[in-house]
Amino acid sequence: MEKKKKAILVVSFGTSFHKTREKTIDRIEADIAAAYPEYTLYRAWTSKMIIAKLKRRDQIVVSTVAEAVDQMIVDGVQELIVQPTHIINGIENDLMKEDVLARKDAFEKIAFGAPLLTTTEDNVEVLHAVMSEFPALAEDEVLVFMGHGTTHYANTVYAALDYTFKDLGYNRTFLGTVEAYPSMESLKKQLKALAPKNLILAPFMVVAGDHAIHDMSGEDEDSWRSQFEAEGYQVSCVMKGLGEYEKVRQIYLEHTEAARKSMEK
């Protein structure tokens, strides 16, 4: 009986910063490849702008989702697991699914792994995973995470996460977003009530890339660091993407395994 050709397509937004990619996207892909040696691993990114930049600047070619799917068809893949490294079920994840399902007839089986934050259990597990790598905060200290934010209705997860931090006992930890709610203005109001002296900033994104380098820790007066310093806080930045946390990468593996099991039904 002929053995089915199986593949796992790992889909990320992408980054043009090589050092953070090596510590995050590359590590997630390596973990998945090691866990599933019988599957061929493929990579695709959803940001066409970053793909074009890498090709122009570094002569590095990364496939779009559609291109990766076409290549897998040429390679004779019959059973496909798609695991996104996306944080939420937002716009990028919806578009990725559309691109894959447009060629669904070319495969015998397709299963999608869930993004990082899909269930309430995921939310709790991820927050514990991240906080386990931070030392306890002093009385005059707060920790503020910067999420991306989106116009998609899935953005509600960020406010839920901010609430969940407090519900789990992390009363001096906050989560805001660059492009949506909770905003910088809402963070400023919440922090005033605690009146901390020291503020730690960290990205709540898979990679510590453009947003972390410019919008979070940059020297520009609009960066979160500059805005918080203008409020009188002593600010330090932790440049560590979620993909660098081993326990977070483990959650992506759990989602991949759930997708694999769903194909057996």
Side-chain angles (χ1 to χ4, degrees), residues 196-208:
K197 288 180 184 175
N198 301 309
L199 192 152
I200 302 165
L201 277 176
F204 200 85
M205 305 176 192
V206 174
V207 302

Side-chain angles (χ1 to χ4, degrees), residues 85-91 115-117 123 126-127 145-166 173-183 186-187 190 203-206 211 224 242:
T85 68
H86 300 144
I87 290 180
I88 61 173
N89 291 271
I91 296 165
L116 185 63
L117 301 173
N123 296 356
V126 169
L127 296 193
F145 285 102
M146 172 192 268
H148 190 279
T150 175
T151 54
H152 193 280
Y153 62 83
N155 189 77
T156 54
V157 74
Y158 289 108
L161 287 169
D162 184 64
Y163 182 90
T164 306
F165 270 126
K166 282 72 174 178
T173 302
F174 299 83
L175 177 65
T177 67
V178 187
E179 298 186 1
Y181 183 85
S183 65
S186 61
L187 286 172
Q190 291 182 74
F204 200 85
M205 305 176 192
V206 174
H211 285 297
W224 280 26
L242 294 179

Side-chain angles (χ1 to χ4, degrees), residues 225-246:
R225 176 183 175 178
S226 296
Q227 289 187 63
F228 281 128
E229 285 177 341
E231 295 282 314
Y233 304 113
Q234 293 287 323
V235 181
S236 59
C237 297
V238 176
M239 302 299 285
K240 186 173 183 178
L242 294 179
E244 295 181 55
Y245 297 86
E246 185 180 352

